[in-house]
Every structure is written in structure tokens, then in C-alpha cells.
Amino acid sequence: MSGVLGFNPLSFGAEPSGERLARIERSPNYDASIGAFRNPEPAQRLPRAVRSRRELLRALLSRDGRRPSGPIPLARPELDSPPASGLRLTWLGHATVLAEIDGRRVLFDPVWGRRCSPFSFIGPRRLHAAPLPLDSLGRLDAVVISHDHYDHLDLHTIRRLAASDVPFAVTLGVGAHLERWGVPPERFTELDWHESAEIAGLRLTAAPARHFCGRGLRNQQRTLWASWAVAGPEHRIFHSGDTGYFPGFAEIGAEYGPFDATMIQIGAYSEFWPDIHMTPEEGLRAHRDLAGSGGAMLPIHWGTFNLAPHPWAEPGERLLAAAGEAGVRTAVPLPGGSFEPSAPVLPGTPWWRGLAGERPAATAGPVEAPLGHS
């Protein structure tokens, strides 16, 4: 266990201060009147009682269909040789993706921890093991962090990466966490929306997203959240981070695309907090805004942590149905599975069927609890 009784105070990270805080306060996306970053469209981050508080509480406490009925199968990533096309994505569970792009290797939102929580004994626990040890990934050219929630920014994973020489691209304010956890300031670049960094021959750009931030009970909204566009000499990819749907996706696609592949959040949605996470259908709409009729979509942020009242496998089932109807090229690999977006056939077997639990995998209507780690 970490710290006293399974709690490590380092997990809370650090609040921005000094010049870092001054830069945040100068951001055009920061509202000094409320001391917080603004969303591109207004968003309510706390759960709302759609019909009644009793129904909200019942949904949050329900266990119906929220865990698989057996072990989730894993794939061993195919990383021994470079991708023939120059682009390959490996889904490592939740929002963690290894992107091999034009000879470079970028790791998004790395989380190898067993729980997305500051405690070792409570909080959302993985539904499956990490597909391979962090040390087995091999060389990394960049690590990208979308925001500071526990299921996207993991203390123990970051401290292990701090022992290497890999550079980080993060959002404004997140550098305070990294410094406290042992990453030297010269190893990371903090970006506001529409700012870019050149790392290893890639252009990494922080783009808008509709979400929120915070790792403690008092969330001051002083670290930024973002989606990410990554451009290499030949390919371009997009990682959504966490976000609700908003029309700005089309603007991101027009400015930073066209994208050969998108990694889009489709899980942890709810009718009780519709502004800060997308349903599978909204995720598909975001992909089409970003990529038009081209590109391949990798659904992320589902199947690894239980963060919402919907059945654990429902996002994959709904996404497959919507993508089939819309004719969108979509990959649903096993956790640990690799694919090249330009391949004639993408992984499309619904591997979760048979593990969906007591409740059917596909149900009508959305039903996450945004508790600072979602």
C-alpha cells in the first residue's frame, strides 16, 4: 500500500503557482472572474437529477451489468516490427493508446495503475489487467496527457516514465503535477488550446474539448483539459481525451486534419451528465466532423474501468451498430490489439459478447459519475 492506510498524498499532485499560474491567468480560455477555465460551450459537470434525486442515486449505486461475467480476453501487441503503412494504433485499454506514426512512437494518457483513485483500496478498479508491462513498450518519443483526472494521469505510471528520458506534452497547469512527481521541467511542454509543440519531428497540438479537471475534493478548475492533434510527415491522428460533444470538432478537423485515424471517447456517458462525455453515437458524429468520410475510428474510454451506470460493454455494442449504419470504418480490437488504419479489414469482432453480464450489452438510452477521476 502507498502511504498511510493505502493513501498517498502525492496522488493529489500540486496546484499551479508562480509563473505557471500567471500564464494560466493570461490564457484567453481562462475566466478570471470565476478563477477557472471555460469550456468551448457551457457544460454542467456535476450530476443533475433528470427526473428525481432518488432515481439518480439508484442509477449511481446500481451494479446491473456493470462488470463482465468472466475474464476479458487480451491481445499481445504487435510491436516487433514497424507498421507497413507508417501508422499503427495499439489500444492498451481505456484511453491509453500507443500510436506509431511515421517512425515515431507516441503514448497517449498512460495508465497502468490498478485503480483510478488516490487510494489503493477504493475507487474504480480495472476490469482487465494491462495487456503488457509498461517496460515492454520499448522506445517512446513522446507522452501526451489530455487532462489530470485519475483515469488519464496516473501517479505510479508517470513516476516510472520520469525515470526515462521521454518528453511530455501536457495541458496548462498539469506541469505542476509532473514536477511534484519527479519529471524535470525541461522534459515537458504545457500547452493552451491551439498551441503546438514540435517533438521528434511531430507537431502536437492541444485542441479544445468540453470537460473539466481536478484531482482533489476542491476542484479549482486551474488545469486545462484538451483533445490532441498529432501531425507527422505523412499521417495525422486525433485523440479526443474526455469530452462532451460540441460543434467545434468540425473546426478542429478543418484546421488540423484531415485525420487518418481518430481515437474517440465513447464510454462513461450518462443522461445525468450529458455535457462532459459523449455517447457512442455522439462519438461517431465527432469522428465524422473530424474526418469526414475518410479515416478510421478507434473507440476509447470504455471496457477497462467502471465509471458510469451503463453496462460495461454497452458502448462497444452501440458504437458497432451506429458505425455499421453510417458506413464508418471502425476498429474494435481486444485490449492490447494493434491495427493499421489503412488496412482493408479492421478488427471488428464483438469480443465482449458472452461477457456482458446479467443485462444485455445494448440498451436504449444513455445512463458516469464525474467524481474527479472520469
Side-chain angles (χ1 to χ4, degrees):
M1 292 193 298
S2 301
V4 179
L5 298 178
F7 167 65
N8 187 342
L10 277 177
S11 295
F12 288 140
E15 285 290 324
S17 61
E19 176 52 33
R20 175 175 287 116
L21 179 57
R23 184 184 172 197
I24 288 171
E25 292 173 338
R26 292 194 299 268
S27 167
N29 303 303
Y30 187 81
D31 187 341
S33 67
I34 60 173
F37 280 105
R38 294 185 299 262
N39 268 298
E41 284 196 357
Q44 181 173 320
R45 62 186 181 85
L46 297 176
R48 66 186 74 171
V50 178
R51 285 170 289 277
S52 70
R53 292 182 179 181
R54 178 176 297 180
E55 183 175 350
L56 169 63
L57 183 61
R58 184 185 302 116
L60 293 178
L61 296 177
S62 173
R63 297 177 178 271
D64 191 13
R66 295 185 64 187
R67 298 189 66 85
S69 58
I72 291 177
L74 304 176
R76 182 73 180 185
E78 302 168 6
L79 304 176
D80 294 336
S81 58
S85 66
L87 178 62
R88 178 168 60 204
L89 302 181
T90 300
W91 184 45
L92 295 165
H94 202 56
T96 304
V97 181
L98 175 67
E100 298 168 272
I101 174 172
D102 300 336
R104 288 76 166 177
R105 307 172 91 242
V106 181
L107 184 62
F108 292 91
D109 286 357
V111 173
W112 262 256
R114 293 179 63 193
R115 292 187 187 273
C116 47
S117 168
F119 303 95
S120 65
F121 59 91
I122 194 171
R125 184 174 179 175
R126 301 183 73 99
L127 301 178
H128 63 79
L132 83 170
L134 179 60
D135 296 341
S136 298
L137 281 183
R139 172 186 59 83
L140 295 173
D141 294 293
V143 172
V144 174
I145 305 297
S146 65
H147 64 298
D148 69 359
H149 284 161
Y150 287 92
D151 58 323
H152 296 258
L153 182 65
D154 177 55
L155 164 64
H156 302 292
T157 303
I158 296 301
R159 295 186 80 175
R160 291 170 63 188
L161 290 168
S164 70
D165 60 357
V166 63
F168 291 76
V170 304
T171 47
L172 284 183
V174 171
H177 301 315
L178 299 192
E179 274 197 76
R180 189 176 188 200
W181 298 343
V183 182
E186 61 271 18
R187 288 259 308 280
F188 58 81
T189 303
E190 294 178 76
L191 301 177
D192 202 345
W193 290 343
H194 300 295
E195 291 183 342
S196 301
E198 301 286 340
I199 299 178
L202 300 174
R203 187 172 182 83
L204 290 78
T205 302
R210 192 180 183 208
H211 197 56
F212 68 110
C213 66
R215 297 179 69 84
L217 296 178
R218 291 183 295 177
N219 183 351
Q220 298 188 44
Q221 296 290 84
R222 287 184 177 173
T223 63
L224 187 60
W225 50 95
S227 58
W228 287 86
V230 177
E234 303 294 335
H235 295 92
R236 298 186 181 201
I237 56 177
F238 175 87
H239 188 285
S240 71
D242 274 358
T243 181
Y245 181 82
F246 68 108
F249 286 121
E251 298 172 9
I252 295 170
E255 186 167 358
Y256 303 114
F259 295 108
D260 299 283
T262 66
M263 298 156 272
I264 303 289
Q265 170 260 308
I266 66 160
Y269 48 84
S270 172
E271 63 179 338
F272 300 116
W273 45 87
D275 300 338
I276 57 173
H277 280 271
M278 293 187 289
T279 65
E281 295 79 11
E282 289 173 325
L284 186 70
R285 180 181 177 187
H287 167 83
R288 298 181 76 178
D289 288 349
L290 291 157
S293 59
M297 175 180 171
L298 170 64
I300 62 171
H301 203 271
W302 74 286
T304 300
F305 293 109
N306 182 349
L307 299 175
H310 62 67
W312 76 275
E314 179 183 282
E317 197 71 38
R318 285 175 58 170
L319 189 277
L320 267 192
E325 183 175 338
V328 172
R329 301 185 73 241
T330 304
V332 286
L334 291 166
S338 300
F339 70 97
E340 299 190 29
S342 63
V345 179
L346 301 179
T349 301
W351 50 265
W352 54 87
R353 290 180 183 168
L355 298 173
E358 299 175 358
R359 186 174 173 182
T363 61
V367 240
E368 152 194 78
L371 302 176
H373 54 250
S374 49

